[in-house]
Amino acid sequence: MDLNERKLKILQAIVQDYIQTAEPIGSRTLTKRYNIGVSPATIRNEMADLEDLGYLTQPHTSAGRIPSDKAYRLYVDYLLQMKKIASFQRDSMKTNLLKRFGELEDVLQYSSKILSELTNYTSIALAPQIKGSRLKHIQLVPIDNEHIIAMIVTDTGVIKKPLLRFSGGMDFDYTQKVSALLNEKLAGLTFQDIEQKLVKELKEEAHQFSSIIQTIVPEVFKTLEEIDDFELFLNGTTNIFNFPEFSDIFRAKSFLTMLEEKSLISNMITSTEAEGLTISIGSENPFHQAKDCSLITATFKLEGNTMGWLSVIGPTRMDYSHVISVMEQISSYINQLLKNR
Amino acid sequence: MDLNERKLKILQAIVQDYIQTAEPIGSRTLTKRYNIGVSPATIRNEMADLEDLGYLTQPHTSAGRIPSDKAYRLYVDYLLQMKKIASFQRDSMKTNLLKRFGELEDVLQYSSKILSELTNYTSIALAPQIKGSRLKHIQLVPIDNEHIIAMIVTDTGVIKKPLLRFSGGMDFDYTQKVSALLNEKLAGLTFQDIEQKLVKELKEEAHQFSSIIQTIVPEVFKTLEEIDDFELFLNGTTNIFNFPEFSDIFRAKSFLTMLEEKSLISNMITSTEAEGLTISIGSENPFHQAKDCSLITATFKLEGNTMGWLSVIGPTRMDYSHVISVMEQISSYINQLLKNR
DNA sequence: TATTAGCACTCTTTGTTGTTGAGTGCTAAC
DNA sequence: GTTAGCACTCAACAACAAAGAGTGCTAATA
């Protein structure tokens, strides 16, 4: 018993119907809505087979069938193979997105907003942690007698700005010299390298600035450590209320509570390694909280470094076709942006 | 017919009971739970009076009574008058809060998190817009040949960092001179002043830098304009699921949707002018979306300038006593912090 | 005169029961 | 191999009854 042409046809019809209606579908209704070419009785037999094979489940004996995660996986793989990317909204999106410049974080956040609006699902933007990235520029700026800001730009575009308390005062020229030295020594290195090896060396080498470097540099890193979470932006969280599977208050609650757990979400998203689109369906997700959800993640890379992630999360009964097409569009513009900065 | 001692006693009992149980309460139950000293029949008469006076309502004829917004208002005014501030958690909170330094925004955000955890309601932190505040420090930093970051520190502690595209390149010394000039001319002024009057003057005066100033300064302000929303931080949004009045999916949805409307929320919060705690109950709120909610807002000022807001939002049946006491605590520490920076 | 006991009445909530209809699996006929 | 027919299942819905918490009114009471 394998998946012949007819079984595939029936399965696809069921998946598509369920994505639209969220209702279990029976053999008779299927023949009415779709042109399968066989009678309900035959479909019933095929459905029983498909259930045995694990593609369909039945909420109760006298109900229709609903697709399993396995069925969605088949459907999605088929879709990805076809890659029938629609080309809607191309122009308006392009100009809007390209008009924005600035930090990658902003671009991701803005894209996430568009994404949730276009798909009506919840969208998540995630910027990488600073640790793995490379220092592009560091600049100490004295604010007043007691405070210095260390402005830090990385190759992933993240700009962190730890505010340091530094009693004793320091004038601009001095911070300028220190900044120049730090740039010279540290630019291009990863933060891990800097922290592990170079601070010591630097202290020894730069005698004339040893006091300030001993005070400031560890302080900068300590503060960075503290603020260095994954930055997570959510959009369209209330969209789940549009879906009947979340009209149960407990489901809605657990979904929204899951979204509030930043660490869980970022774990789930960053676990995707491959560049491009990754789809994980229902129980494929690493956390049980997400077992009724599908997560579509676009990973952005530049020269091997991960620059950020963009995700859509929704019910397993997700309109994969639509979401994939929108995400492919947005991804291509972001990649364009990444290459041209 | 006025509010005699006994009516007040009964009303207070009803309010307190309803805050705890969220169930309409009848005369008999009231006598059982509280020691009023009269029979249910008497209480019924008094309740009928209180209903006529607008302090109570009845969901239906054979149900108990629930307090109206007017009743909560009376209760809250009484509470504020008493100011029975409990002194729990004082020490742990103090050390935690004072350990944090840095931007006021961070302090507000962190406080909001504590606040939602301590009260189990939703908490909102709001930092002021940049427009009304004064420039404390501006520093242009060249990142590469095409980008300059303008780091801007204001007296409200907000640090904005618009990234500007500036083709042509500019070396550090040059940006340094320009920064110094801008600081000299602009520090201490409000952004409105700068924008309206001074840009023109500056252009004329500073001949040697006229080209860059003509290019950069308007660009900085344009970018500021774009990013200058109220910064709004939400915490504990899913806490509403704990309250039976939001166990209806539509209520929950409309509450959460309201929270997503940043402009509405910030309008509601910033409409409070007075320093200290402001409470608006149910229909007292300016927006109908919030007519089932109470909003308790702490406004922080320093020398007349509003530095930020901290709010708790929840059902009108809010545990005012508890929330007020927690907010008084946190506010006092934030004020302490503000004065000592 | 203010308070209270008693009573009839109201209305929601909860549980029961029957009906409907969409769906199934199985069998026998085509 | 496919399909018509049939008995069966089960959720959803509506109708109905009973329970229970509450009310307002009236008459008795302190």
Side-chain angles (χ1 to χ4, degrees):
Chain A
M1 182 172 62
D2 61 343
L3 281 177
N4 56 29
E5 194 78 17
R6 193 169 65 191
K7 279 196 179 60
L8 279 173
K9 198 171 175 184
I10 291 173
L11 191 54
Q12 191 183 12
I14 293 175
V15 171
Q16 282 179 3
D17 197 82
Y18 192 72
I19 282 176
Q20 289 226 330
T21 65
E23 298 286 341
I25 184 164
S27 52
R28 231 177 85 79
T29 321
L30 206 63
T31 54
K32 268 190 259 175
R33 288 204 198 135
Y34 302 85
N35 185 19
I36 312 279
V38 291
S39 79
T42 311
I43 291 183
R44 277 204 288 284
N45 291 330
E46 297 286 39
M47 277 174 153
D49 288 355
L50 286 168
E51 187 168 352
D52 287 344
L53 289 166
Y55 291 103
L56 295 178
T57 54
Q58 233 179 339
H60 55 87
T61 47
S62 70
R65 304 300 212 290
I66 60 175
S68 68
D69 291 352
K70 196 174 168 188
Y72 288 125
R73 166 55 59 198
L74 197 73
Y75 177 73
V76 163
D77 287 346
Y78 171 76
L79 271 185
L80 286 179
Q81 203 184 331
M82 293 292 110
K83 272 207 180 173
K84 305 181 287 189
I85 312 302
S87 65
F88 63 99
Q89 274 141 330
R90 182 183 285 260
D91 291 323
S92 77
M93 210 155 60
K94 184 169 184 173
T95 49
N96 267 324
L97 209 54
L98 289 182
K99 213 173 62 187
R100 314 282 298 194
F101 52 89
E103 303 168 40
L104 180 60
E105 243 176 58
D106 295 339
V107 175
L108 286 175
Q109 191 174 0
Y110 181 69
S111 304
S112 155
K113 194 162 161 252
I114 293 182
L115 196 50
S116 79
E117 279 165 10
L118 288 181
T119 61
N120 280 314
Y121 295 104
T122 302
S123 168
I124 306 164
L126 189 62
Q129 273 184 304
I130 210 171
K131 271 184 193 153
S133 47
R134 285 169 197 283
L135 178 69
K136 198 167 162 191
H137 194 93
I138 184 168
Q139 176 69 40
L140 302 180
V141 183
I143 298 303
D144 53 33
N145 274 341
E146 288 193 336
H147 296 95
I148 292 176
I149 288 180
M151 204 179 60
I152 292 169
V153 185
T154 71
D155 62 342
T156 54
V158 182
I159 297 171
K160 299 282 176 179
K161 41 181 176 51
L163 183 66
L164 308 171
R165 194 156 268 188
F166 184 77
S167 54
M170 203 190 297
D171 72 1
F172 196 88
D173 282 347
Y174 197 68
T175 56
Q176 189 36 44
K177 279 177 195 153
V178 176
S179 300
L181 179 73
L182 290 175
N183 272 316
E184 186 194 321
K185 294 282 178 191
L186 305 180
L189 300 175
T190 70
F191 283 82
Q192 274 158 345
D193 287 344
I194 296 176
E195 205 168 4
Q196 283 169 15
K197 303 176 213 158
L198 281 168
V199 174
K200 223 185 292 174
E201 280 181 46
L202 202 61
K203 274 189 204 162
E204 287 160 12
E205 250 182 73
H207 303 292
Q208 58 174 137
F209 298 115
S210 73
S211 110
I212 182 166
I213 284 183
Q214 274 180 25
T215 320
I216 286 285
V217 176
E219 198 64 28
V220 170
F221 280 97
K222 206 179 118 208
T223 315
L224 268 185
E225 192 90 13
E226 274 173 29
I227 61 175
D228 190 24
D229 271 333
F230 283 97
E231 289 245 41
L232 211 151
F233 307 101
L234 291 172
N235 278 287
T237 49
T238 53
N239 280 344
I240 44 134
F241 288 115
N242 299 329
F243 307 113
E245 42 267 77
F246 291 98
S247 62
D248 174 46
I249 194 88
F250 287 105
R251 292 251 175 147
K253 176 181 178 173
S254 73
F255 180 83
L256 291 170
T257 308
M258 175 181 73
L259 289 183
E260 277 198 345
E261 281 185 61
K262 287 178 70 171
S263 61
L264 187 148
I265 299 289
S266 53
N267 265 328
M268 210 151 71
I269 290 178
T270 56
S271 69
T272 65
E273 285 289 333
E275 190 169 359
L277 285 193
T278 313
I279 303 179
S280 78
I281 298 167
S283 50
E284 294 173 8
N285 282 308
F287 298 100
H288 72 275
Q289 289 98 322
K291 75 177 192 321
D292 295 323
C293 299
S294 280
L295 184 72
I296 306 190
T297 301
T299 307
F300 300 102
K301 296 204 173 190
L302 191 64
E303 293 160 12
N305 295 327
T306 303
M307 310 294 280
W309 295 265
L310 207 51
S311 288
V312 166
I313 188 166
T316 48
R317 177 189 68 88
M318 186 185 272
D319 190 343
Y320 296 98
S321 163
H322 180 222
V323 174
I324 289 172
S325 105
V326 173
M327 287 190 78
E328 296 255 3
Q329 284 293 315
I330 294 186
S331 297
S332 89
Y333 290 121
I334 292 182
N335 278 320
Q336 214 170 306
L337 225 71
L338 274 176
K339 258 126 215 166
N340 295 340
R341 346 190 277 159
Chain B
M1 182 171 62
D2 60 343
L3 282 176
N4 57 28
E5 195 78 16
R6 193 169 65 191
K7 280 196 177 60
L8 280 172
K9 198 171 175 185
I10 291 172
L11 191 54
Q12 191 182 13
I14 293 175
V15 170
Q16 281 179 2
D17 197 81
Y18 192 73
I19 282 176
Q20 290 226 329
T21 65
E23 298 286 342
I25 185 164
S27 51
R28 230 177 86 80
T29 320
L30 207 62
T31 53
K32 267 190 261 174
R33 287 202 199 137
Y34 301 84
N35 185 20
I36 312 280
V38 289
S39 79
T42 311
I43 291 182
R44 276 204 289 284
N45 290 329
E46 297 286 39
M47 277 175 153
D49 288 354
L50 285 167
E51 187 167 354
D52 287 343
L53 288 165
Y55 290 103
L56 296 177
T57 54
Q58 232 179 340
H60 56 86
T61 47
S62 68
R65 304 300 211 290
I66 60 176
S68 67
D69 292 352
K70 196 175 166 185
Y72 288 124
R73 168 53 60 197
L74 197 73
Y75 177 71
V76 163
D77 287 346
Y78 171 76
L79 272 185
L80 286 179
Q81 203 185 330
M82 291 293 111
K83 273 207 180 175
K84 304 182 286 189
I85 312 301
S87 64
F88 62 100
Q89 274 143 330
R90 182 182 287 261
D91 292 321
S92 77
M93 210 155 61
K94 184 168 183 173
T95 49
N96 267 325
L97 208 55
L98 289 181
K99 212 172 61 186
R100 313 283 297 195
F101 53 90
E103 303 169 41
L104 179 60
E105 243 175 61
D106 295 339
V107 175
L108 286 175
Q109 191 175 0
Y110 180 70
S111 305
S112 154
K113 193 160 163 254
I114 293 182
L115 196 50
S116 80
E117 280 165 10
L118 288 181
T119 60
N120 280 313
Y121 294 103
T122 302
S123 168
I124 306 164
L126 188 63
Q129 272 183 305
I130 210 170
K131 270 185 194 152
S133 48
R134 284 168 198 284
L135 178 69
K136 198 168 162 190
H137 194 93
I138 184 168
Q139 176 69 39
L140 302 180
V141 183
I143 298 302
D144 53 33
N145 273 341
E146 287 193 338
H147 296 96
I148 291 177
I149 288 180
M151 203 180 60
I152 292 168
V153 185
T154 72
D155 62 343
T156 55
V158 182
I159 297 171
K160 300 281 176 180
K161 39 179 177 53
L163 184 65
L164 308 171
R165 194 156 267 188
F166 185 78
S167 54
M170 203 190 297
D171 72 1
F172 196 88
D173 282 347
Y174 198 67
T175 55
Q176 188 37 44
K177 278 179 196 151
V178 176
S179 299
L181 178 72
L182 289 175
N183 271 318
E184 184 195 320
K185 293 284 178 191
L186 305 180
L189 300 174
T190 71
F191 284 81
Q192 275 159 345
D193 286 345
I194 295 176
E195 205 168 6
Q196 284 170 14
K197 302 174 214 159
L198 280 169
V199 174
K200 223 186 292 171
E201 280 180 44
L202 202 61
K203 275 189 206 164
E204 288 160 11
E205 247 182 75
H207 303 291
Q208 58 175 135
F209 299 116
S210 72
S211 110
I212 182 167
I213 284 182
Q214 273 179 26
T215 320
I216 287 285
V217 176
E219 198 64 27
V220 170
F221 281 97
K222 207 178 117 208
T223 315
L224 268 185
E225 192 89 14
E226 274 174 29
I227 62 174
D228 190 25
D229 271 332
F230 282 98
E231 288 245 45
L232 210 151
F233 307 102
L234 291 173
N235 278 288
T237 49
T238 53
N239 280 343
I240 43 134
F241 288 114
N242 300 330
F243 308 114
E245 42 268 77
F246 291 98
S247 63
D248 174 47
I249 194 88
F250 287 104
R251 292 252 175 147
K253 176 181 178 172
S254 73
F255 180 83
L256 291 170
T257 309
M258 176 180 73
L259 289 184
E260 278 198 344
E261 280 184 62
K262 287 178 67 172
S263 61
L264 186 149
I265 299 290
S266 52
N267 266 326
M268 211 151 70
I269 290 178
T270 55
S271 68
T272 64
E273 286 288 333
E275 190 167 357
L277 286 192
T278 313
I279 302 179
S280 78
I281 298 166
S283 51
E284 294 173 9
N285 282 307
F287 298 99
H288 73 274
Q289 287 99 322
K291 75 178 191 322
D292 296 322
C293 299
S294 281
L295 184 73
I296 307 189
T297 302
T299 307
F300 299 102
K301 297 204 171 190
L302 191 64
E303 294 160 12
N305 295 328
T306 303
M307 310 295 281
W309 295 265
L310 206 52
S311 288
V312 166
I313 188 167
T316 48
R317 175 188 70 87
M318 186 184 272
D319 189 343
Y320 296 98
S321 162
H322 181 221
V323 175
I324 289 171
S325 103
V326 173
M327 286 189 79
E328 296 255 3
Q329 284 292 316
I330 294 185
S331 297
S332 88
Y333 290 122
I334 292 183
N335 278 321
Q336 214 171 307
L337 224 70
L338 275 177
K339 258 125 215 168
N340 296 339
R341 355 190 267 160

